[in-house]
PDB file of all heavy atoms in Angstrom:
ATOM      1  N   ASN D   1     106.846  72.614 115.907  1.00  0.00           N
ATOM      2  CA  ASN D   1     107.842  73.653 115.807  1.00  0.00           C
ATOM      3  C   ASN D   1     107.442  74.712 114.817  1.00  0.00           C
ATOM      4  O   ASN D   1     108.215  75.121 113.929  1.00  0.00           O
ATOM      5  CB  ASN D   1     109.199  73.074 115.454  1.00  0.00           C
ATOM      6  CG  ASN D   1     109.813  72.280 116.603  1.00  0.00           C
ATOM      7  OD1 ASN D   1     110.060  72.889 117.682  1.00  0.00           O
ATOM      8  ND2 ASN D   1     110.062  71.014 116.428  1.00  0.00           N
ATOM      9  N   THR D   2     106.190  75.186 114.950  1.00  0.00           N
ATOM     10  CA  THR D   2     105.682  76.231 114.135  1.00  0.00           C
ATOM     11  C   THR D   2     105.401  77.440 114.998  1.00  0.00           C
ATOM     12  O   THR D   2     104.816  77.322 116.090  1.00  0.00           O
ATOM     13  CB  THR D   2     104.392  75.795 113.432  1.00  0.00           C
ATOM     14  OG1 THR D   2     104.649  74.665 112.587  1.00  0.00           O
ATOM     15  CG2 THR D   2     103.798  76.914 112.606  1.00  0.00           C
ATOM     16  N   VAL D   3     105.733  78.637 114.547  1.00  0.00           N
ATOM     17  CA  VAL D   3     105.507  79.849 115.240  1.00  0.00           C
ATOM     18  C   VAL D   3     104.560  80.736 114.438  1.00  0.00           C
ATOM     19  O   VAL D   3     104.675  80.772 113.180  1.00  0.00           O
ATOM     20  CB  VAL D   3     106.767  80.576 115.626  1.00  0.00           C
ATOM     21  CG1 VAL D   3     107.554  81.074 114.387  1.00  0.00           C
ATOM     22  CG2 VAL D   3     106.513  81.724 116.587  1.00  0.00           C
ATOM     23  N   PHE D   4     103.690  81.458 115.112  1.00  0.00           N
ATOM     24  CA  PHE D   4     102.707  82.322 114.436  1.00  0.00           C
ATOM     25  C   PHE D   4     102.843  83.718 114.993  1.00  0.00           C
ATOM     26  O   PHE D   4     103.257  83.927 116.124  1.00  0.00           O
ATOM     27  CB  PHE D   4     101.285  81.814 114.686  1.00  0.00           C
ATOM     28  CG  PHE D   4     101.045  80.381 114.288  1.00  0.00           C
ATOM     29  CD1 PHE D   4     101.262  79.340 115.193  1.00  0.00           C
ATOM     30  CD2 PHE D   4     100.593  80.074 113.011  1.00  0.00           C
ATOM     31  CE1 PHE D   4     101.021  78.051 114.831  1.00  0.00           C
ATOM     32  CE2 PHE D   4     100.359  78.758 112.649  1.00  0.00           C
ATOM     33  CZ  PHE D   4     100.592  77.747 113.548  1.00  0.00           C
ATOM     34  N   LEU D   5     102.462  84.683 114.153  1.00  0.00           N
ATOM     35  CA  LEU D   5     102.341  86.029 114.554  1.00  0.00           C
ATOM     36  C   LEU D   5     100.987  86.550 114.130  1.00  0.00           C
ATOM     37  O   LEU D   5     100.767  86.741 112.931  1.00  0.00           O
ATOM     38  CB  LEU D   5     103.451  86.944 113.981  1.00  0.00           C
ATOM     39  CG  LEU D   5     103.439  88.396 114.455  1.00  0.00           C
ATOM     40  CD1 LEU D   5     103.741  88.487 115.943  1.00  0.00           C
ATOM     41  CD2 LEU D   5     104.441  89.214 113.666  1.00  0.00           C
ATOM     42  N   GLN D   6     100.098  86.723 115.067  1.00  0.00           N
ATOM     43  CA  GLN D   6      98.789  87.293 114.781  1.00  0.00           C
ATOM     44  C   GLN D   6      98.875  88.789 114.814  1.00  0.00           C
ATOM     45  O   GLN D   6      99.211  89.357 115.867  1.00  0.00           O
ATOM     46  CB  GLN D   6      97.746  86.771 115.791  1.00  0.00           C
ATOM     47  CG  GLN D   6      96.330  87.312 115.567  1.00  0.00           C
ATOM     48  CD  GLN D   6      95.743  86.840 114.249  1.00  0.00           C
ATOM     49  OE1 GLN D   6      95.794  85.629 113.951  1.00  0.00           O
ATOM     50  NE2 GLN D   6      95.163  87.740 113.477  1.00  0.00           N
ATOM     51  N   MET D   7      98.629  89.399 113.697  1.00  0.00           N
ATOM     52  CA  MET D   7      98.739  90.840 113.542  1.00  0.00           C
ATOM     53  C   MET D   7      97.349  91.434 113.404  1.00  0.00           C
ATOM     54  O   MET D   7      96.652  91.185 112.425  1.00  0.00           O
ATOM     55  CB  MET D   7      99.606  91.230 112.359  1.00  0.00           C
ATOM     56  CG  MET D   7     100.969  90.558 112.314  1.00  0.00           C
ATOM     57  SD  MET D   7     101.923  90.761 110.802  1.00  0.00           S
ATOM     58  CE  MET D   7     102.207  92.552 110.830  1.00  0.00           C
ATOM     59  N   ASN D   8      96.946  92.253 114.364  1.00  0.00           N
ATOM     60  CA  ASN D   8      95.641  92.889 114.358  1.00  0.00           C
ATOM     61  C   ASN D   8      95.813  94.405 114.316  1.00  0.00           C
ATOM     62  O   ASN D   8      96.791  94.966 114.796  1.00  0.00           O
ATOM     63  CB  ASN D   8      94.830  92.491 115.586  1.00  0.00           C
ATOM     64  CG  ASN D   8      94.493  91.025 115.659  1.00  0.00           C
ATOM     65  OD1 ASN D   8      94.240  90.375 114.607  1.00  0.00           O
ATOM     66  ND2 ASN D   8      94.475  90.490 116.870  1.00  0.00           N
ATOM     67  N   ASN D   9      94.793  95.045 113.759  1.00  0.00           N
ATOM     68  CA  ASN D   9      94.774  96.502 113.651  1.00  0.00           C
ATOM     69  C   ASN D   9      96.118  97.016 113.085  1.00  0.00           C
ATOM     70  O   ASN D   9      96.757  97.893 113.658  1.00  0.00           O
ATOM     71  CB  ASN D   9      94.551  97.138 115.049  1.00  0.00           C
ATOM     72  CG  ASN D   9      94.251  98.636 115.014  1.00  0.00           C
ATOM     73  OD1 ASN D   9      93.797  99.145 113.977  1.00  0.00           O
ATOM     74  ND2 ASN D   9      94.530  99.307 116.111  1.00  0.00           N
ATOM     75  N   VAL D  10      96.471  96.471 111.952  1.00  0.00           N
ATOM     76  CA  VAL D  10      97.779  96.821 111.339  1.00  0.00           C
ATOM     77  C   VAL D  10      97.790  98.255 110.858  1.00  0.00           C
ATOM     78  O   VAL D  10      96.761  98.813 110.527  1.00  0.00           O
ATOM     79  CB  VAL D  10      98.119  95.835 110.200  1.00  0.00           C
ATOM     80  CG1 VAL D  10      98.320  94.460 110.729  1.00  0.00           C
ATOM     81  CG2 VAL D  10      97.046  95.902 109.116  1.00  0.00           C
ATOM     82  N   LYS D  11      98.989  98.808 110.785  1.00  0.00           N
ATOM     83  CA  LYS D  11      99.198 100.164 110.381  1.00  0.00           C
ATOM     84  C   LYS D  11     100.220 100.210 109.244  1.00  0.00           C
ATOM     85  O   LYS D  11     100.990  99.267 109.083  1.00  0.00           O
ATOM     86  CB  LYS D  11      99.754 101.028 111.551  1.00  0.00           C
ATOM     87  CG  LYS D  11      98.852 101.013 112.778  1.00  0.00           C
ATOM     88  CD  LYS D  11      99.467 101.744 113.929  1.00  0.00           C
ATOM     89  CE  LYS D  11      98.595 101.757 115.176  1.00  0.00           C
ATOM     90  NZ  LYS D  11      99.234 102.475 116.302  1.00  0.00           N
ATOM     91  N   PRO D  12     100.218 101.272 108.424  1.00  0.00           N
ATOM     92  CA  PRO D  12     101.193 101.359 107.346  1.00  0.00           C
ATOM     93  C   PRO D  12     102.622 101.179 107.810  1.00  0.00           C
ATOM     94  O   PRO D  12     103.456 100.588 107.096  1.00  0.00           O
ATOM     95  CB  PRO D  12     100.936 102.731 106.757  1.00  0.00           C
ATOM     96  CG  PRO D  12      99.516 102.983 107.000  1.00  0.00           C
ATOM     97  CD  PRO D  12      99.235 102.386 108.371  1.00  0.00           C
ATOM     98  N   GLU D  13     102.953 101.674 108.990  1.00  0.00           N
ATOM     99  CA  GLU D  13     104.274 101.559 109.486  1.00  0.00           C
ATOM    100  C   GLU D  13     104.692 100.129 109.849  1.00  0.00           C
ATOM    101  O   GLU D  13     105.856  99.881 110.159  1.00  0.00           O
ATOM    102  CB  GLU D  13     104.506 102.478 110.718  1.00  0.00           C
ATOM    103  CG  GLU D  13     103.461 102.342 111.808  1.00  0.00           C
ATOM    104  CD  GLU D  13     102.350 103.383 111.702  1.00  0.00           C
ATOM    105  OE1 GLU D  13     101.901 103.654 110.580  1.00  0.00           O
ATOM    106  OE2 GLU D  13     101.982 103.929 112.758  1.00  0.00           O
ATOM    107  N   ASP D  14     103.734  99.215 109.846  1.00  0.00           N
ATOM    108  CA  ASP D  14     104.014  97.791 110.089  1.00  0.00           C
ATOM    109  C   ASP D  14     104.535  97.108 108.840  1.00  0.00           C
ATOM    110  O   ASP D  14     105.025  95.970 108.904  1.00  0.00           O
ATOM    111  CB  ASP D  14     102.766  97.058 110.567  1.00  0.00           C
ATOM    112  CG  ASP D  14     102.243  97.542 111.908  1.00  0.00           C
ATOM    113  OD1 ASP D  14     103.076  97.890 112.776  1.00  0.00           O
ATOM    114  OD2 ASP D  14     101.036  97.523 112.091  1.00  0.00           O
ATOM    115  N   SER D  15     104.455  97.766 107.705  1.00  0.00           N
ATOM    116  CA  SER D  15     104.864  97.166 106.430  1.00  0.00           C
ATOM    117  C   SER D  15     106.319  96.785 106.464  1.00  0.00           C
ATOM    118  O   SER D  15     107.163  97.438 107.102  1.00  0.00           O
ATOM    119  CB  SER D  15     104.606  98.133 105.271  1.00  0.00           C
ATOM    120  OG  SER D  15     103.188  98.415 105.157  1.00  0.00           O
ATOM    121  N   GLY D  16     106.652  95.742 105.729  1.00  0.00           N
ATOM    122  CA  GLY D  16     108.039  95.318 105.601  1.00  0.00           C
ATOM    123  C   GLY D  16     108.118  93.819 105.389  1.00  0.00           C
ATOM    124  O   GLY D  16     107.135  93.100 105.296  1.00  0.00           O
ATOM    125  N   VAL D  17     109.349  93.354 105.300  1.00  0.00           N
ATOM    126  CA  VAL D  17     109.635  91.945 105.125  1.00  0.00           C
ATOM    127  C   VAL D  17     109.856  91.341 106.508  1.00  0.00           C
ATOM    128  O   VAL D  17     110.779  91.715 107.212  1.00  0.00           O
ATOM    129  CB  VAL D  17     110.832  91.681 104.220  1.00  0.00           C
ATOM    130  CG1 VAL D  17     111.168  90.184 104.152  1.00  0.00           C
ATOM    131  CG2 VAL D  17     110.594  92.236 102.848  1.00  0.00           C
ATOM    132  N   TYR D  18     109.001  90.424 106.915  1.00  0.00           N
ATOM    133  CA  TYR D  18     109.113  89.762 108.205  1.00  0.00           C
ATOM    134  C   TYR D  18     109.823  88.437 108.070  1.00  0.00           C
ATOM    135  O   TYR D  18     109.409  87.571 107.279  1.00  0.00           O
ATOM    136  CB  TYR D  18     107.730  89.558 108.798  1.00  0.00           C
ATOM    137  CG  TYR D  18     107.108  90.844 109.326  1.00  0.00           C
ATOM    138  CD1 TYR D  18     106.631  91.793 108.453  1.00  0.00           C
ATOM    139  CD2 TYR D  18     107.069  91.106 110.688  1.00  0.00           C
ATOM    140  CE1 TYR D  18     106.086  92.985 108.952  1.00  0.00           C
ATOM    141  CE2 TYR D  18     106.542  92.263 111.180  1.00  0.00           C
ATOM    142  CZ  TYR D  18     106.045  93.201 110.309  1.00  0.00           C
ATOM    143  OH  TYR D  18     105.529  94.377 110.798  1.00  0.00           O
ATOM    144  N   CYS D  19     110.880  88.282 108.826  1.00  0.00           N
ATOM    145  CA  CYS D  19     111.701  87.077 108.785  1.00  0.00           C
ATOM    146  C   CYS D  19     111.494  86.222 110.051  1.00  0.00           C
ATOM    147  O   CYS D  19     111.473  86.771 111.157  1.00  0.00           O
ATOM    148  CB  CYS D  19     113.204  87.426 108.660  1.00  0.00           C
ATOM    149  SG  CYS D  19     113.590  88.342 107.139  1.00  0.00           S
ATOM    150  N   CYS D  20     111.379  84.959 109.813  1.00  0.00           N
ATOM    151  CA  CYS D  20     111.255  84.028 110.962  1.00  0.00           C
ATOM    152  C   CYS D  20     112.684  83.699 111.455  1.00  0.00           C
ATOM    153  O   CYS D  20     113.584  83.530 110.681  1.00  0.00           O
ATOM    154  CB  CYS D  20     110.548  82.769 110.482  1.00  0.00           C
ATOM    155  SG  CYS D  20     110.332  81.519 111.794  1.00  0.00           S
ATOM    156  N   ASN D  21     112.799  83.605 112.766  1.00  0.00           N
ATOM    157  CA  ASN D  21     114.043  83.302 113.386  1.00  0.00           C
ATOM    158  C   ASN D  21     113.869  82.072 114.338  1.00  0.00           C
ATOM    159  O   ASN D  21     112.830  81.962 115.005  1.00  0.00           O
ATOM    160  CB  ASN D  21     114.539  84.465 114.232  1.00  0.00           C
ATOM    161  CG  ASN D  21     115.751  84.170 115.088  1.00  0.00           C
ATOM    162  OD1 ASN D  21     115.570  83.878 116.266  1.00  0.00           O
ATOM    163  ND2 ASN D  21     116.941  84.237 114.524  1.00  0.00           N
ATOM    164  N   ALA D  22     114.838  81.228 114.381  1.00  0.00           N
ATOM    165  CA  ALA D  22     114.842  80.147 115.312  1.00  0.00           C
ATOM    166  C   ALA D  22     116.246  79.946 115.902  1.00  0.00           C
ATOM    167  O   ALA D  22     117.216  80.071 115.198  1.00  0.00           O
ATOM    168  CB  ALA D  22     114.383  78.841 114.674  1.00  0.00           C
ATOM    169  N   VAL D  23     116.285  79.650 117.182  1.00  0.00           N
ATOM    170  CA  VAL D  23     117.537  79.395 117.872  1.00  0.00           C
ATOM    171  C   VAL D  23     117.475  78.018 118.474  1.00  0.00           C
ATOM    172  O   VAL D  23     116.578  77.705 119.270  1.00  0.00           O
ATOM    173  CB  VAL D  23     117.788  80.432 118.985  1.00  0.00           C
ATOM    174  CG1 VAL D  23     119.099  80.093 119.703  1.00  0.00           C
ATOM    175  CG2 VAL D  23     117.898  81.822 118.397  1.00  0.00           C
ATOM    176  N   SER D  24     118.400  77.183 118.059  1.00  0.00           N
ATOM    177  CA  SER D  24     118.493  75.824 118.578  1.00  0.00           C
ATOM    178  C   SER D  24     119.523  75.772 119.715  1.00  0.00           C
ATOM    179  O   SER D  24     120.525  76.442 119.683  1.00  0.00           O
ATOM    180  CB  SER D  24     118.898  74.840 117.492  1.00  0.00           C
ATOM    181  OG  SER D  24     117.924  74.719 116.507  1.00  0.00           O
ATOM    182  N   ARG D  25     119.200  75.015 120.754  1.00  0.00           N
ATOM    183  CA  ARG D  25     120.127  74.845 121.859  1.00  0.00           C
ATOM    184  C   ARG D  25     120.209  73.364 122.180  1.00  0.00           C
ATOM    185  O   ARG D  25     119.199  72.652 122.210  1.00  0.00           O
ATOM    186  CB  ARG D  25     119.619  75.639 123.056  1.00  0.00           C
ATOM    187  CG  ARG D  25     119.394  77.105 122.797  1.00  0.00           C
ATOM    188  CD  ARG D  25     119.067  77.884 124.062  1.00  0.00           C
ATOM    189  NE  ARG D  25     118.627  79.245 123.754  1.00  0.00           N
ATOM    190  CZ  ARG D  25     119.429  80.278 123.492  1.00  0.00           C
ATOM    191  NH1 ARG D  25     120.754  80.091 123.516  1.00  0.00           N
ATOM    192  NH2 ARG D  25     118.918  81.439 123.202  1.00  0.00           N
ATOM    193  N   TRP D  26     121.400  72.920 122.452  1.00  0.00           N
ATOM    194  CA  TRP D  26     121.609  71.515 122.802  1.00  0.00           C
ATOM    195  C   TRP D  26     122.876  71.355 123.651  1.00  0.00           C
ATOM    196  O   TRP D  26     123.583  72.307 123.917  1.00  0.00           O
ATOM    197  CB  TRP D  26     121.712  70.691 121.517  1.00  0.00           C
ATOM    198  CG  TRP D  26     122.967  70.939 120.699  1.00  0.00           C
ATOM    199  CD1 TRP D  26     124.116  70.211 120.716  1.00  0.00           C
ATOM    200  CD2 TRP D  26     123.151  71.940 119.724  1.00  0.00           C
ATOM    201  NE1 TRP D  26     125.037  70.737 119.817  1.00  0.00           N
ATOM    202  CE2 TRP D  26     124.437  71.792 119.201  1.00  0.00           C
ATOM    203  CE3 TRP D  26     122.309  72.994 119.240  1.00  0.00           C
ATOM    204  CZ2 TRP D  26     124.971  72.657 118.214  1.00  0.00           C
ATOM    205  CZ3 TRP D  26     122.832  73.815 118.259  1.00  0.00           C
ATOM    206  CH2 TRP D  26     124.123  73.627 117.738  1.00  0.00           C
ATOM    207  N   GLY D  27     123.108  70.173 124.078  1.00  0.00           N
ATOM    208  CA  GLY D  27     124.244  69.893 124.958  1.00  0.00           C
ATOM    209  C   GLY D  27     123.854  69.881 126.395  1.00  0.00           C
ATOM    210  O   GLY D  27     122.701  70.094 126.782  1.00  0.00           O
ATOM    211  N   PRO D  28     124.843  69.634 127.260  1.00  0.00           N
ATOM    212  CA  PRO D  28     124.532  69.580 128.697  1.00  0.00           C
ATOM    213  C   PRO D  28     124.082  70.957 129.201  1.00  0.00           C
ATOM    214  O   PRO D  28     124.477  71.996 128.663  1.00  0.00           O
ATOM    215  CB  PRO D  28     125.876  69.170 129.330  1.00  0.00           C
ATOM    216  CG  PRO D  28     126.897  69.615 128.332  1.00  0.00           C
ATOM    217  CD  PRO D  28     126.249  69.401 126.965  1.00  0.00           C
ATOM    218  N   ILE D  29     123.242  70.934 130.231  1.00  0.00           N
ATOM    219  CA  ILE D  29     122.671  72.144 130.741  1.00  0.00           C
ATOM    220  C   ILE D  29     123.708  73.116 131.247  1.00  0.00           C
ATOM    221  O   ILE D  29     123.513  74.332 131.178  1.00  0.00           O
ATOM    222  CB  ILE D  29     121.635  71.827 131.790  1.00  0.00           C
ATOM    223  CG1 ILE D  29     120.802  73.055 132.130  1.00  0.00           C
ATOM    224  CG2 ILE D  29     122.265  71.260 133.049  1.00  0.00           C
ATOM    225  CD1 ILE D  29     119.612  72.781 133.049  1.00  0.00           C
ATOM    226  N   GLU D  30     124.840  72.573 131.716  1.00  0.00           N
ATOM    227  CA  GLU D  30     125.875  73.451 132.254  1.00  0.00           C
ATOM    228  C   GLU D  30     126.799  74.014 131.161  1.00  0.00           C
ATOM    229  O   GLU D  30     127.566  74.939 131.433  1.00  0.00           O
ATOM    230  CB  GLU D  30     126.723  72.659 133.296  1.00  0.00           C
ATOM    231  CG  GLU D  30     127.543  71.514 132.731  1.00  0.00           C
ATOM    232  CD  GLU D  30     126.740  70.228 132.665  1.00  0.00           C
ATOM    233  OE1 GLU D  30     125.518  70.275 132.864  1.00  0.00           O
ATOM    234  OE2 GLU D  30     127.355  69.160 132.445  1.00  0.00           O
ATOM    235  N   ALA D  31     126.714  73.482 129.929  1.00  0.00           N
ATOM    236  CA  ALA D  31     127.519  73.936 128.831  1.00  0.00           C
ATOM    237  C   ALA D  31     126.781  73.782 127.532  1.00  0.00           C
ATOM    238  O   ALA D  31     127.138  73.021 126.658  1.00  0.00           O
ATOM    239  CB  ALA D  31     128.858  73.193 128.793  1.00  0.00           C
TER     240      ALA D  31
END
């Protein structure tokens, strides 16, 4: 459960604080 972001040819406008997000899903498929 690890996610990566490979950033190539970065630009100044790419600067900032990058936050990781995860969405968990559970329960029956119909609900």
Side-chain angles (χ1 to χ4, degrees):
N1 288 300
T2 300
V3 65
F4 304 89
L5 183 67
Q6 180 66 47
M7 307 171 65
N8 296 324
N9 192 25
V10 296
K11 304 175 181 179
E13 52 263 42
D14 296 325
S15 298
V17 177
Y18 285 75
C19 298
C20 181
N21 170 266
V23 177
S24 294
R25 305 187 191 278
W26 68 96
I29 191 170
E30 67 273 11

